[in-house]
Amino acid sequence: MSRTLTPIYAANLASDVYDVKSVITRDDFLDDYKSDMEIKSANLPSGITGGYIFNKPHVIGMFSAGKGKYKGQAFVAIKGTASLYDALTDLNAGVHSSHTGFQVHQGFYYALNSILQELRQFVSGLKGVSVIHCVGHSLGGAIATLAADWIKANSAISTVKLYAFGSPRVGLESFAAKCTSRLVANNVYRVYHRTDPVPMVPTWPFYHVPTNTGYLVDSPASIKPWEYHLMKHYMRSAKSAGSWEGMASHCPIKHMDSAIEHWLQPDGVVSFAASTLEILNAALIYVIKKVINLSGIAIVVGGGTTLTLLDRMAMYMAKAANASKDLSIWVYHLVKKMAALIGIKIKGGMDFTASFIRQVFMSLHRKISEVVWRIGQEVG
Amino acid sequence: MRYTIILTLSLILFSGAKAMSILGIGKTCVFSAVKVRLINNGLPMKNAQVIRRWEWNSLQEDKTITDENGYFEFPAVFEKSLARILPIELVIAQGLYVVEGDEEKKIWSNSKREPEENAEFNGKTFELTCEITNEMKTYRDFGSRMRTLCTWED
């Protein structure tokens, strides 16, 4: 009895769970999976995935105990962004302390929160189950990640496996690291196409789970920016790979500190290619860690103020730049490099205010968004 | 941070929307034109009521009656939605039902994932023969998941 879903089974389930939303196709879904799932006892959770912009309860996934060859296992399948209400969640960004105590994307937090009571009831009612498979695509992958993390932290289920296709980044580094260690990296099957823009957002300081691996599948350029975000391509990739071994597991490029420092140095090359996103992300994290480690300044998020994470980041960067020479040089290099990427030349001796740093960050994000869109034509 | 993400995605969306308007992809076929022959044990089902339903933005339906030879047809239906310019999976639930007495019998359903007309059968016209006594089966031959008792020519 296999305790891991095959790529094609996981991809089909991530795609098919979209069909639970409509009364026209819901019965078909249940009929197709009746030999693998205790379909009569399956829960169809109604959730709110419109965050606080528009709230509209509707069915967003399916929980079921397994049967037949999946006896002793269970499924949590969450559908992705399939309507305007769902899509709004993706724009509803901000951070919130997760149900396991770490900072995550606010929209994803509220989406999980809306089904948590049903998830809790489902998990507590499971008998003789040692493996739960959490599956999802896009936003569904993000909610499945939070669900997997919550189940592992709050139940005696020994193994929780996560299968996420084209998922955006879910939480900050502390969440990603904790979730990765909680689930164990080899229980996480995060599949993403090279030209799928959704896994590229939110950008820093959000991280993927697992933090150091992923099933990166090459995909060609497309005139439609998010063509390779669609499930039909993930299903094709899964079918063609046949097995997880067949689906090449690539580590995201890990930049050495020396390479980051070289890139940050004034004589480092500045170009705005797709790969710049990766080194820039690494450089930001490198400098932010220096700020935190050397200054003891914590980047606190949440709380009762209206400051965004970006505001705080800019504030602390400016504070750090003025606090110590060791730090100011790296903040200076970073801001100068970011400014260079958006075509602003910084002269020596210039003071960095929080407002200036924020403006540079914002302008760079604007440029990044253009690159993310262009990536579909540049890579492949 | 919220503004950053909104800005990032808004620009992506703007770029996508621009590309779509150039290509005229904003219009979405929620149900292609249908031509079906309905039979019961090989005999045409005359004057049978047929319901077509679909759900994208909302649940919709139209109805028709089979002719003397068991044939019925529906025209293609198109809808538009802002959702089409967002990076989301297009999911249109589709169903064909035959009314038998007080009951509706589903004879065909599909999860349409492509905006183009005739995407249900990968570009081929939607022409079926439906023997009402057949068992429903699931097909994945055309990318999306289709469940039907009907048959079609390869």
Side-chain angles (χ1 to χ4, degrees):
Chain A
M1 181 182 68
S2 173
R3 287 163 56 89
T4 302
L5 303 181
T6 63
I8 190 61
Y9 192 96
N12 280 345
L13 182 55
S15 177
D16 294 346
V17 75
Y18 280 99
D19 299 335
V20 301
K21 184 180 174 186
S22 173
V23 292
I24 298 171
T25 46
R26 190 177 304 156
D27 289 349
D28 302 332
F29 174 90
L30 299 177
D31 216 39
D32 279 350
Y33 286 92
K34 67 185 176 190
S35 60
D36 296 341
M37 301 177 188
E38 293 287 357
I39 225 70
K40 284 179 187 167
S41 61
N43 296 323
L44 296 170
S46 288
I48 297 168
T49 57
Y52 51 75
I53 300 175
F54 285 106
N55 292 332
K56 184 181 180 182
H58 58 248
V59 176
I60 70 161
M62 189 226 54
F63 309 151
S64 180
K67 66 189 274 198
K69 63 181 176 180
Y70 295 105
K71 192 168 173 55
Q73 303 176 37
F75 299 87
V76 169
I78 310 287
K79 74 179 190 64
T81 47
S83 74
L84 179 60
Y85 300 100
D86 288 343
L88 284 170
T89 296
D90 284 357
L91 303 178
N92 182 17
V95 287
H96 197 289
S97 183
S98 75
H99 296 88
T100 56
F102 294 89
Q103 300 296 329
V104 297
H105 183 291
Q106 186 171 261
F108 305 154
Y109 165 85
Y110 283 117
L112 178 74
N113 194 55
S114 68
I115 57 168
L116 191 61
Q117 191 180 345
E118 287 139 308
L119 183 65
R120 187 180 282 120
Q121 282 172 358
F122 168 71
V123 172
S124 64
L126 289 172
K127 304 278 185 252
V129 167
S130 58
V131 183
I132 293 191
H133 305 286
C134 297
V135 182
H137 166 239
S138 194
L139 171 66
I143 304 172
T145 302
L146 289 178
D149 181 62
W150 182 86
I151 293 167
K152 195 72 182 86
N154 291 280
S155 77
I157 306 288
S158 59
T159 305
V160 179
K161 297 196 178 228
L162 171 64
Y163 310 81
F165 297 87
S167 171
R169 296 181 174 122
V170 177
L172 304 192
E173 187 184 19
S174 55
F175 169 79
K178 186 65 184 177
C179 183
T180 301
S181 69
R182 221 193 304 262
L183 298 179
V184 181
N186 61 8
N187 285 325
V188 182
Y189 302 87
R190 183 176 75 80
V191 183
Y192 62 108
H193 285 136
R194 190 181 291 277
T195 51
D196 178 352
V198 172
M200 298 178 194
V201 293
T203 53
W204 65 272
F206 288 83
Y207 281 72
H208 276 299
V209 175
T211 47
N212 59 352
T213 58
Y215 290 84
L216 169 63
V217 182
D218 273 329
S219 54
S222 170
I223 194 162
K224 297 181 200 170
W226 43 82
E227 176 68 13
Y228 281 85
H229 181 60
L230 303 179
M231 268 316 301
K232 67 176 180 180
H233 292 297
Y234 281 110
M235 286 192 288
R236 277 177 204 158
S237 296
K239 193 175 179 182
S240 123
S243 65
W244 292 111
E245 291 74 29
M247 187 172 275
S249 179
H250 296 280
C251 292
I253 297 165
K254 180 123 179 128
H255 296 284
M256 304 295 292
D257 285 356
S258 57
I260 294 169
E261 286 177 6
H262 175 73
W263 186 80
L264 283 169
Q265 294 295 326
D267 57 351
V269 178
V270 182
S271 64
F272 216 109
S275 58
T276 308
L277 279 176
E278 288 166 350
I279 185 85
L280 175 64
N281 202 50
L284 269 165
I285 290 157
Y286 176 80
V287 175
I288 288 163
K289 276 184 178 168
K290 270 195 182 295
V291 169
I292 293 169
N293 293 339
L294 292 179
S295 70
I297 297 170
I299 295 169
V300 181
V301 292
T305 76
T306 54
L307 291 176
T308 65
L309 186 59
L310 182 68
D311 292 328
R312 287 169 193 276
M313 197 74 77
M315 246 169 53
Y316 288 125
M317 283 279 192
K319 208 168 173 182
N322 296 319
S324 105
K325 274 192 173 177
D326 287 345
L327 280 177
S328 64
I329 191 70
W330 291 112
V331 174
Y332 176 79
H333 283 327
L334 175 66
V335 176
K336 190 175 178 183
K337 191 67 66 174
M338 291 169 79
L341 286 167
I342 53 172
I344 296 174
K345 195 168 182 181
I346 291 176
K347 292 175 183 170
M350 186 176 170
D351 283 339
F352 288 166
T353 61
S355 141
F356 176 72
I357 293 174
R358 192 182 190 284
Q359 195 186 337
V360 171
F361 281 11
M362 285 293 283
S363 302
L364 186 58
H365 271 281
R366 184 180 306 206
K367 184 134 184 175
I368 287 170
S369 70
E370 290 166 5
V371 170
V372 166
W373 179 71
R374 279 210 311 270
I375 268 173
Q377 289 142 11
E378 289 180 354
V379 181
Chain B
M1 192 63 187
R2 180 182 309 159
Y3 303 118
T4 307
I5 305 301
I6 289 172
L7 179 69
T8 302
L9 282 177
S10 298
L11 283 162
I12 296 170
L13 302 182
F14 173 74
S15 305
K18 195 175 169 188
M20 282 184 177
S21 64
I22 291 166
L23 299 170
I25 313 173
K27 198 164 139 185
T28 298
C29 178
V30 292
F31 219 123
S32 301
V34 174
K35 186 175 183 182
V36 175
R37 185 169 190 234
L38 198 58
I39 51 177
N40 186 346
N41 286 310
L43 298 173
M45 289 181 71
K46 303 173 187 174
N47 303 319
Q49 188 180 28
V50 180
I51 303 171
R52 172 173 72 165
R53 292 199 178 96
W54 65 94
E55 184 170 4
W56 182 34
N57 300 316
S58 60
L59 185 61
Q60 305 282 334
E61 68 173 39
D62 53 10
K63 295 175 183 176
T64 191
I65 304 284
T66 58
D67 67 14
E68 290 295 304
N69 298 310
Y71 282 101
F72 69 87
E73 292 186 24
F74 284 110
V77 183
F78 296 86
E79 288 181 7
K80 281 186 179 177
S81 168
L82 181 62
R84 281 289 292 120
I85 63 165
L86 295 167
I88 59 174
E89 184 86 359
L90 175 70
V91 183
I92 303 161
Q94 304 173 304
L96 291 173
Y97 305 78
V98 175
V99 179
E100 293 184 305
D102 293 335
E103 293 193 353
E104 291 177 7
K105 183 180 175 65
K106 194 194 285 184
I107 60 170
W108 181 91
S109 68
N110 184 47
S111 179
K112 190 171 188 283
R113 304 293 177 97
E114 305 275 358
E116 291 84 14
E117 191 172 4
N118 294 324
E120 291 90 337
F121 290 92
N122 215 10
K124 288 176 65 180
T125 52
F126 193 135
E127 294 185 21
L128 307 175
T129 299
C130 303
E131 168 56 62
I132 199 100
T133 59
N134 283 350
E135 290 285 314
M136 294 284 276
K137 287 181 187 171
T138 296
Y139 300 86
R140 293 183 185 270
D141 307 28
F142 307 104
S144 56
R145 192 169 57 97
M146 183 184 290
R147 195 160 167 80
T148 185
L149 52 73
C150 307
T151 55
W152 53 90
E153 287 187 13
D154 290 329

mmCIF file with all atom_site columns, all heavy atoms in Angstrom, chain A residues 292-313:
data_model
loop_
_atom_site.group_PDB
_atom_site.id
_atom_site.type_symbol
_atom_site.label_atom_id
_atom_site.label_alt_id
_atom_site.label_comp_id
_atom_site.label_asym_id
_atom_site.label_entity_id
_atom_site.label_seq_id
_atom_site.pdbx_PDB_ins_code
_atom_site.Cartn_x
_atom_site.Cartn_y
_atom_site.Cartn_z
_atom_site.occupancy
_atom_site.B_iso_or_equiv
_atom_site.pdbx_formal_charge
_atom_site.auth_seq_id
_atom_site.auth_comp_id
_atom_site.auth_asym_id
_atom_site.auth_atom_id
_atom_site.pdbx_PDB_model_num
ATOM 1   N N   . ILE A 1 292 ? 18.926 42.435 11.579 1.00 0.00 ? 292 ILE A N   1
ATOM 2   C CA  . ILE A 1 292 ? 18.345 41.807 12.769 1.00 0.00 ? 292 ILE A CA  1
ATOM 3   C C   . ILE A 1 292 ? 19.451 41.305 13.708 1.00 0.00 ? 292 ILE A C   1
ATOM 4   O O   . ILE A 1 292 ? 19.421 41.558 14.909 1.00 0.00 ? 292 ILE A O   1
ATOM 5   C CB  . ILE A 1 292 ? 17.403 40.652 12.363 1.00 0.00 ? 292 ILE A CB  1
ATOM 6   C CG1 . ILE A 1 292 ? 16.178 41.223 11.632 1.00 0.00 ? 292 ILE A CG1 1
ATOM 7   C CG2 . ILE A 1 292 ? 16.961 39.841 13.579 1.00 0.00 ? 292 ILE A CG2 1
ATOM 8   C CD1 . ILE A 1 292 ? 15.315 40.193 10.950 1.00 0.00 ? 292 ILE A CD1 1
ATOM 9   N N   . ASN A 1 293 ? 20.456 40.630 13.138 1.00 0.00 ? 293 ASN A N   1
ATOM 10  C CA  . ASN A 1 293 ? 21.509 40.043 13.967 1.00 0.00 ? 293 ASN A CA  1
ATOM 11  C C   . ASN A 1 293 ? 22.417 41.074 14.613 1.00 0.00 ? 293 ASN A C   1
ATOM 12  O O   . ASN A 1 293 ? 22.767 40.951 15.788 1.00 0.00 ? 293 ASN A O   1
ATOM 13  C CB  . ASN A 1 293 ? 22.367 39.078 13.132 1.00 0.00 ? 293 ASN A CB  1
ATOM 14  C CG  . ASN A 1 293 ? 21.569 37.858 12.717 1.00 0.00 ? 293 ASN A CG  1
ATOM 15  O OD1 . ASN A 1 293 ? 20.555 37.541 13.339 1.00 0.00 ? 293 ASN A OD1 1
ATOM 16  N ND2 . ASN A 1 293 ? 22.013 37.180 11.671 1.00 0.00 ? 293 ASN A ND2 1
ATOM 17  N N   . LEU A 1 294 ? 22.808 42.075 13.840 1.00 0.00 ? 294 LEU A N   1
ATOM 18  C CA  . LEU A 1 294 ? 23.789 43.028 14.364 1.00 0.00 ? 294 LEU A CA  1
ATOM 19  C C   . LEU A 1 294 ? 23.171 44.145 15.190 1.00 0.00 ? 294 LEU A C   1
ATOM 20  O O   . LEU A 1 294 ? 23.793 44.696 16.077 1.00 0.00 ? 294 LEU A O   1
ATOM 21  C CB  . LEU A 1 294 ? 24.619 43.635 13.225 1.00 0.00 ? 294 LEU A CB  1
ATOM 22  C CG  . LEU A 1 294 ? 25.567 42.662 12.515 1.00 0.00 ? 294 LEU A CG  1
ATOM 23  C CD1 . LEU A 1 294 ? 26.310 43.369 11.388 1.00 0.00 ? 294 LEU A CD1 1
ATOM 24  C CD2 . LEU A 1 294 ? 26.589 42.087 13.495 1.00 0.00 ? 294 LEU A CD2 1
ATOM 25  N N   . SER A 1 295 ? 21.929 44.495 14.886 1.00 0.00 ? 295 SER A N   1
ATOM 26  C CA  . SER A 1 295 ? 21.341 45.623 15.614 1.00 0.00 ? 295 SER A CA  1
ATOM 27  C C   . SER A 1 295 ? 20.406 45.164 16.721 1.00 0.00 ? 295 SER A C   1
ATOM 28  O O   . SER A 1 295 ? 20.088 45.920 17.613 1.00 0.00 ? 295 SER A O   1
ATOM 29  C CB  . SER A 1 295 ? 20.552 46.504 14.644 1.00 0.00 ? 295 SER A CB  1
ATOM 30  O OG  . SER A 1 295 ? 19.391 45.824 14.231 1.00 0.00 ? 295 SER A OG  1
ATOM 31  N N   . GLY A 1 296 ? 19.978 43.901 16.628 1.00 0.00 ? 296 GLY A N   1
ATOM 32  C CA  . GLY A 1 296 ? 18.998 43.424 17.598 1.00 0.00 ? 296 GLY A CA  1
ATOM 33  C C   . GLY A 1 296 ? 17.625 44.000 17.335 1.00 0.00 ? 296 GLY A C   1
ATOM 34  O O   . GLY A 1 296 ? 16.682 43.809 18.089 1.00 0.00 ? 296 GLY A O   1
ATOM 35  N N   . ILE A 1 297 ? 17.479 44.699 16.212 1.00 0.00 ? 297 ILE A N   1
ATOM 36  C CA  . ILE A 1 297 ? 16.177 45.273 15.868 1.00 0.00 ? 297 ILE A CA  1
ATOM 37  C C   . ILE A 1 297 ? 15.298 44.162 15.302 1.00 0.00 ? 297 ILE A C   1
ATOM 38  O O   . ILE A 1 297 ? 15.678 43.502 14.335 1.00 0.00 ? 297 ILE A O   1
ATOM 39  C CB  . ILE A 1 297 ? 16.317 46.390 14.812 1.00 0.00 ? 297 ILE A CB  1
ATOM 40  C CG1 . ILE A 1 297 ? 17.149 47.554 15.368 1.00 0.00 ? 297 ILE A CG1 1
ATOM 41  C CG2 . ILE A 1 297 ? 14.951 46.899 14.357 1.00 0.00 ? 297 ILE A CG2 1
ATOM 42  C CD1 . ILE A 1 297 ? 17.535 48.571 14.300 1.00 0.00 ? 297 ILE A CD1 1
ATOM 43  N N   . ALA A 1 298 ? 14.177 43.956 15.923 1.00 0.00 ? 298 ALA A N   1
ATOM 44  C CA  . ALA A 1 298 ? 13.281 42.918 15.421 1.00 0.00 ? 298 ALA A CA  1
ATOM 45  C C   . ALA A 1 298 ? 12.262 43.542 14.483 1.00 0.00 ? 298 ALA A C   1
ATOM 46  O O   . ALA A 1 298 ? 11.759 44.635 14.737 1.00 0.00 ? 298 ALA A O   1
ATOM 47  C CB  . ALA A 1 298 ? 12.567 42.243 16.585 1.00 0.00 ? 298 ALA A CB  1
ATOM 48  N N   . ILE A 1 299 ? 12.004 42.845 13.386 1.00 0.00 ? 299 ILE A N   1
ATOM 49  C CA  . ILE A 1 299 ? 10.983 43.358 12.467 1.00 0.00 ? 299 ILE A CA  1
ATOM 50  C C   . ILE A 1 299 ? 9.650  42.767 12.912 1.00 0.00 ? 299 ILE A C   1
ATOM 51  O O   . ILE A 1 299 ? 9.311  41.638 12.597 1.00 0.00 ? 299 ILE A O   1
ATOM 52  C CB  . ILE A 1 299 ? 11.327 43.007 11.022 1.00 0.00 ? 299 ILE A CB  1
ATOM 53  C CG1 . ILE A 1 299 ? 12.607 43.746 10.642 1.00 0.00 ? 299 ILE A CG1 1
ATOM 54  C CG2 . ILE A 1 299 ? 10.192 43.384 10.081 1.00 0.00 ? 299 ILE A CG2 1
ATOM 55  C CD1 . ILE A 1 299 ? 13.225 43.333 9.353  1.00 0.00 ? 299 ILE A CD1 1
ATOM 56  N N   . VAL A 1 300 ? 8.973  43.544 13.716 1.00 0.00 ? 300 VAL A N   1
ATOM 57  C CA  . VAL A 1 300 ? 7.720  43.072 14.296 1.00 0.00 ? 300 VAL A CA  1
ATOM 58  C C   . VAL A 1 300 ? 6.590  43.377 13.328 1.00 0.00 ? 300 VAL A C   1
ATOM 59  O O   . VAL A 1 300 ? 6.505  44.488 12.799 1.00 0.00 ? 300 VAL A O   1
ATOM 60  C CB  . VAL A 1 300 ? 7.440  43.774 15.643 1.00 0.00 ? 300 VAL A CB  1
ATOM 61  C CG1 . VAL A 1 300 ? 6.158  43.268 16.270 1.00 0.00 ? 300 VAL A CG1 1
ATOM 62  C CG2 . VAL A 1 300 ? 8.614  43.567 16.583 1.00 0.00 ? 300 VAL A CG2 1
ATOM 63  N N   . VAL A 1 301 ? 5.769  42.402 13.101 1.00 0.00 ? 301 VAL A N   1
ATOM 64  C CA  . VAL A 1 301 ? 4.627  42.628 12.224 1.00 0.00 ? 301 VAL A CA  1
ATOM 65  C C   . VAL A 1 301 ? 3.342  42.430 13.009 1.00 0.00 ? 301 VAL A C   1
ATOM 66  O O   . VAL A 1 301 ? 3.352  41.882 14.096 1.00 0.00 ? 301 VAL A O   1
ATOM 67  C CB  . VAL A 1 301 ? 4.653  41.689 11.002 1.00 0.00 ? 301 VAL A CB  1
ATOM 68  C CG1 . VAL A 1 301 ? 5.803  42.066 10.100 1.00 0.00 ? 301 VAL A CG1 1
ATOM 69  C CG2 . VAL A 1 301 ? 4.746  40.254 11.435 1.00 0.00 ? 301 VAL A CG2 1
ATOM 70  N N   . GLY A 1 302 ? 2.241  42.853 12.440 1.00 0.00 ? 302 GLY A N   1
ATOM 71  C CA  . GLY A 1 302 ? 0.970  42.737 13.138 1.00 0.00 ? 302 GLY A CA  1
ATOM 72  C C   . GLY A 1 302 ? 0.842  43.893 14.115 1.00 0.00 ? 302 GLY A C   1
ATOM 73  O O   . GLY A 1 302 ? 1.420  44.959 13.914 1.00 0.00 ? 302 GLY A O   1
ATOM 74  N N   . GLY A 1 303 ? 0.092  43.653 15.176 1.00 0.00 ? 303 GLY A N   1
ATOM 75  C CA  . GLY A 1 303 ? -0.075 44.716 16.163 1.00 0.00 ? 303 GLY A CA  1
ATOM 76  C C   . GLY A 1 303 ? -1.175 45.666 15.762 1.00 0.00 ? 303 GLY A C   1
ATOM 77  O O   . GLY A 1 303 ? -1.867 45.460 14.772 1.00 0.00 ? 303 GLY A O   1
ATOM 78  N N   . GLY A 1 304 ? -1.312 46.718 16.530 1.00 0.00 ? 304 GLY A N   1
ATOM 79  C CA  . GLY A 1 304 ? -2.474 47.569 16.350 1.00 0.00 ? 304 GLY A CA  1
ATOM 80  C C   . GLY A 1 304 ? -2.247 48.784 15.476 1.00 0.00 ? 304 GLY A C   1
ATOM 81  O O   . GLY A 1 304 ? -3.108 49.638 15.370 1.00 0.00 ? 304 GLY A O   1
ATOM 82  N N   . THR A 1 305 ? -1.074 48.901 14.834 1.00 0.00 ? 305 THR A N   1
ATOM 83  C CA  . THR A 1 305 ? -0.839 50.092 14.029 1.00 0.00 ? 305 THR A CA  1
ATOM 84  C C   . THR A 1 305 ? -1.233 49.831 12.575 1.00 0.00 ? 305 THR A C   1
ATOM 85  O O   . THR A 1 305 ? -1.501 48.718 12.185 1.00 0.00 ? 305 THR A O   1
ATOM 86  C CB  . THR A 1 305 ? 0.636  50.512 14.064 1.00 0.00 ? 305 THR A CB  1
ATOM 87  O OG1 . THR A 1 305 ? 1.368  49.626 13.234 1.00 0.00 ? 305 THR A OG1 1
ATOM 88  C CG2 . THR A 1 305 ? 1.186  50.476 15.467 1.00 0.00 ? 305 THR A CG2 1
ATOM 89  N N   . THR A 1 306 ? -1.256 50.894 11.821 1.00 0.00 ? 306 THR A N   1
ATOM 90  C CA  . THR A 1 306 ? -1.645 50.747 10.420 1.00 0.00 ? 306 THR A CA  1
ATOM 91  C C   . THR A 1 306 ? -0.418 50.578 9.513  1.00 0.00 ? 306 THR A C   1
ATOM 92  O O   . THR A 1 306 ? -0.533 50.550 8.307  1.00 0.00 ? 306 THR A O   1
ATOM 93  C CB  . THR A 1 306 ? -2.435 51.985 9.943  1.00 0.00 ? 306 THR A CB  1
ATOM 94  O OG1 . THR A 1 306 ? -1.643 53.140 10.229 1.00 0.00 ? 306 THR A OG1 1
ATOM 95  C CG2 . THR A 1 306 ? -3.779 52.085 10.629 1.00 0.00 ? 306 THR A CG2 1
ATOM 96  N N   . LEU A 1 307 ? 0.783  50.492 10.124 1.00 0.00 ? 307 LEU A N   1
ATOM 97  C CA  . LEU A 1 307 ? 1.992  50.353 9.315  1.00 0.00 ? 307 LEU A CA  1
ATOM 98  C C   . LEU A 1 307 ? 2.013  49.003 8.614  1.00 0.00 ? 307 LEU A C   1
ATOM 99  O O   . LEU A 1 307 ? 1.721  47.981 9.219  1.00 0.00 ? 307 LEU A O   1
ATOM 100 C CB  . LEU A 1 307 ? 3.240  50.470 10.202 1.00 0.00 ? 307 LEU A CB  1
ATOM 101 C CG  . LEU A 1 307 ? 3.526  51.848 10.790 1.00 0.00 ? 307 LEU A CG  1
ATOM 102 C CD1 . LEU A 1 307 ? 4.717  51.775 11.720 1.00 0.00 ? 307 LEU A CD1 1
ATOM 103 C CD2 . LEU A 1 307 ? 3.796  52.856 9.681  1.00 0.00 ? 307 LEU A CD2 1
ATOM 104 N N   . THR A 1 308 ? 2.382  49.015 7.364  1.00 0.00 ? 308 THR A N   1
ATOM 105 C CA  . THR A 1 308 ? 2.500  47.754 6.646  1.00 0.00 ? 308 THR A CA  1
ATOM 106 C C   . THR A 1 308 ? 3.880  47.177 6.917  1.00 0.00 ? 308 THR A C   1
ATOM 107 O O   . THR A 1 308 ? 4.759  47.838 7.452  1.00 0.00 ? 308 THR A O   1
ATOM 108 C CB  . THR A 1 308 ? 2.350  47.971 5.134  1.00 0.00 ? 308 THR A CB  1
ATOM 109 O OG1 . THR A 1 308 ? 3.455  48.774 4.702  1.00 0.00 ? 308 THR A OG1 1
ATOM 110 C CG2 . THR A 1 308 ? 1.038  48.633 4.792  1.00 0.00 ? 308 THR A CG2 1
ATOM 111 N N   . LEU A 1 309 ? 4.069  45.940 6.489  1.00 0.00 ? 309 LEU A N   1
ATOM 112 C CA  . LEU A 1 309 ? 5.363  45.306 6.656  1.00 0.00 ? 309 LEU A CA  1
ATOM 113 C C   . LEU A 1 309 ? 6.433  46.098 5.898  1.00 0.00 ? 309 LEU A C   1
ATOM 114 O O   . LEU A 1 309 ? 7.552  46.248 6.360  1.00 0.00 ? 309 LEU A O   1
ATOM 115 C CB  . LEU A 1 309 ? 5.296  43.870 6.130  1.00 0.00 ? 309 LEU A CB  1
ATOM 116 C CG  . LEU A 1 309 ? 6.529  43.007 6.353  1.00 0.00 ? 309 LEU A CG  1
ATOM 117 C CD1 . LEU A 1 309 ? 6.866  42.889 7.825  1.00 0.00 ? 309 LEU A CD1 1
ATOM 118 C CD2 . LEU A 1 309 ? 6.321  41.637 5.750  1.00 0.00 ? 309 LEU A CD2 1
ATOM 119 N N   . LEU A 1 310 ? 6.040  46.613 4.749  1.00 0.00 ? 310 LEU A N   1
ATOM 120 C CA  . LEU A 1 310 ? 6.979  47.398 3.940  1.00 0.00 ? 310 LEU A CA  1
ATOM 121 C C   . LEU A 1 310 ? 7.403  48.665 4.688  1.00 0.00 ? 310 LEU A C   1
ATOM 122 O O   . LEU A 1 310 ? 8.574  49.025 4.702  1.00 0.00 ? 310 LEU A O   1
ATOM 123 C CB  . LEU A 1 310 ? 6.330  47.758 2.606  1.00 0.00 ? 310 LEU A CB  1
ATOM 124 C CG  . LEU A 1 310 ? 7.215  48.533 1.637  1.00 0.00 ? 310 LEU A CG  1
ATOM 125 C CD1 . LEU A 1 310 ? 8.358  47.682 1.127  1.00 0.00 ? 310 LEU A CD1 1
ATOM 126 C CD2 . LEU A 1 310 ? 6.391  49.049 0.481  1.00 0.00 ? 310 LEU A CD2 1
ATOM 127 N N   . ASP A 1 311 ? 6.429  49.332 5.325  1.00 0.00 ? 311 ASP A N   1
ATOM 128 C CA  . ASP A 1 311 ? 6.732  50.523 6.127  1.00 0.00 ? 311 ASP A CA  1
ATOM 129 C C   . ASP A 1 311 ? 7.761  50.188 7.195  1.00 0.00 ? 311 ASP A C   1
ATOM 130 O O   . ASP A 1 311 ? 8.743  50.899 7.394  1.00 0.00 ? 311 ASP A O   1
ATOM 131 C CB  . ASP A 1 311 ? 5.470  51.056 6.825  1.00 0.00 ? 311 ASP A CB  1
ATOM 132 C CG  . ASP A 1 311 ? 4.467  51.618 5.827  1.00 0.00 ? 311 ASP A CG  1
ATOM 133 O OD1 . ASP A 1 311 ? 4.908  52.147 4.801  1.00 0.00 ? 311 ASP A OD1 1
ATOM 134 O OD2 . ASP A 1 311 ? 3.262  51.518 6.089  1.00 0.00 ? 311 ASP A OD2 1
ATOM 135 N N   . ARG A 1 312 ? 7.506  49.088 7.878  1.00 0.00 ? 312 ARG A N   1
ATOM 136 C CA  . ARG A 1 312 ? 8.386  48.703 8.982  1.00 0.00 ? 312 ARG A CA  1
ATOM 137 C C   . ARG A 1 312 ? 9.784  48.355 8.472  1.00 0.00 ? 312 ARG A C   1
ATOM 138 O O   . ARG A 1 312 ? 10.789 48.724 9.064  1.00 0.00 ? 312 ARG A O   1
ATOM 139 C CB  . ARG A 1 312 ? 7.802  47.486 9.710  1.00 0.00 ? 312 ARG A CB  1
ATOM 140 C CG  . ARG A 1 312 ? 6.598  47.830 10.536 1.00 0.00 ? 312 ARG A CG  1
ATOM 141 C CD  . ARG A 1 312 ? 5.894  46.564 11.015 1.00 0.00 ? 312 ARG A CD  1
ATOM 142 N NE  . ARG A 1 312 ? 4.589  46.890 11.546 1.00 0.00 ? 312 ARG A NE  1
ATOM 143 C CZ  . ARG A 1 312 ? 4.382  47.304 12.794 1.00 0.00 ? 312 ARG A CZ  1
ATOM 144 N NH1 . ARG A 1 312 ? 5.387  47.416 13.629 1.00 0.00 ? 312 ARG A NH1 1
ATOM 145 N NH2 . ARG A 1 312 ? 3.175  47.598 13.209 1.00 0.00 ? 312 ARG A NH2 1
ATOM 146 N N   . MET A 1 313 ? 9.799  47.630 7.366  1.00 0.00 ? 313 MET A N   1
ATOM 147 C CA  . MET A 1 313 ? 11.079 47.233 6.790  1.00 0.00 ? 313 MET A CA  1
ATOM 148 C C   . MET A 1 313 ? 11.897 48.483 6.445  1.00 0.00 ? 313 MET A C   1
ATOM 149 O O   . MET A 1 313 ? 13.081 48.561 6.761  1.00 0.00 ? 313 MET A O   1
ATOM 150 C CB  . MET A 1 313 ? 10.799 46.419 5.525  1.00 0.00 ? 313 MET A CB  1
ATOM 151 C CG  . MET A 1 313 ? 11.954 45.600 5.033  1.00 0.00 ? 313 MET A CG  1
ATOM 152 S SD  . MET A 1 313 ? 12.229 44.168 6.081  1.00 0.00 ? 313 MET A SD  1
ATOM 153 C CE  . MET A 1 313 ? 10.910 43.114 5.511  1.00 0.00 ? 313 MET A CE  1
#
